[in-house]
Amino acid sequence: MRLLITPNYVIDTVCRLTGLKKDKVITDKTVRNKRALHAIYIIAYILTRELNYTYEETASALHKKSAITINKYLKKVEALRIDDMDFRREMDDIVATIVGK
């Protein structure tokens, strides 16, 4: 039986692996720090694409107002995975750590 990976576990693990404080990543305010934005994108990707959480559940976990925001994050992830090999490597490492891929 596989244990359920919770949004809080994903958030805490991504913050730990990226060296960011949780309150800098999970906030109601607009995030402008590139490292924090990348962490948010990775969290959104893992929750929706790897763990099959709904956009609404992911938005709630990230303290965002709507699921539309999550869709924007996922589009950003797709673009970054193509254009930024450092981001892609970091993301692949984090995904492997959390979901074992």
Side-chain angles (χ1 to χ4, degrees), residues 18-77:
T18 57
L20 295 167
K21 292 185 179 181
K22 189 174 180 177
D23 65 342
K24 297 293 182 193
V25 175
I26 307 305
T27 178
D28 295 333
K29 298 177 183 176
T30 301
V31 177
R32 300 198 193 294
N33 177 290
K34 182 179 175 181
R35 295 270 309 141
L37 280 172
H38 284 186
I40 293 168
Y41 299 156
I42 293 169
I43 292 165
Y45 176 86
I46 291 171
L47 290 176
T48 57
R49 298 288 194 252
E50 298 292 333
L51 301 175
N52 298 318
Y53 281 90
T54 65
Y55 284 17
E56 290 80 12
E57 292 167 330
T58 301
S60 177
L62 291 171
H63 294 214
K64 302 303 172 195
K65 292 180 182 173
S66 76
I68 295 169
T69 303
I70 303 306
N71 189 43
K72 290 178 186 178
Y73 290 166
L74 296 176
K75 287 181 180 183
K76 194 69 170 168
V77 167

Side-chain angles (χ1 to χ4, degrees), residues 11-24:
I11 292 165
D12 290 342
T13 303
V14 170
C15 288
R16 180 177 49 81
L17 293 173
T18 57
L20 295 167
K21 292 185 179 181
K22 189 174 180 177
D23 65 342
K24 297 293 182 193

Side-chain angles (χ1 to χ4, degrees), residues 2 5 9 17 45-52 81 88-101:
R2 184 175 175 201
I5 300 174
Y9 174 78
L17 293 173
Y45 176 86
I46 291 171
L47 290 176
T48 57
R49 298 288 194 252
E50 298 292 333
L51 301 175
N52 298 318
R81 285 183 58 81
R88 183 181 188 136
R89 252 188 307 280
E90 178 182 35
M91 183 175 158
D92 289 346
D93 290 344
I94 290 171
V95 170
T97 299
I98 294 174
V99 296
K101 284 189 173 182

